[in-house]
Amino acid sequence: MGEHTTTPTQKKIIDAMDKVYEKLIESKKKTNSDLVVMKDGKIVRIKASSL
């Protein structure tokens, strides 16, 4: 198997996506809103209290 290397631009994108995820969770908790995700091809709502 070949090695996969991450370019600096890819690293920046991944870091930015991590920040977006953290802010999304924080926002959902603050507003007590459900987080809507897709799991196994189905739409699932996750209560803010369980995040």
Side-chain angles (χ1 to χ4, degrees):
M1 290 193 142
E3 256 184 61
H4 177 73
T5 58
T6 304
T7 66
T9 301
Q10 289 172 324
K11 173 91 169 91
K12 286 180 182 179
I13 292 169
I14 292 168
D15 290 345
M17 291 300 293
D18 287 341
K19 287 181 184 178
V20 167
Y21 175 77
E22 292 298 324
K23 287 184 178 184
L24 174 66
I25 298 300
E26 180 182 318
S27 171
K28 294 298 180 182
K29 286 180 179 180
K30 189 180 291 184
T31 60
N32 198 29
S33 301
D34 292 350
L35 178 64
V36 181
V37 297
M38 184 170 280
K39 184 175 182 180
D40 298 326
K42 296 182 181 180
I43 297 174
V44 178
R45 292 181 176 270
I46 302 171
K47 296 287 183 188
S49 59
S50 66
L51 295 174

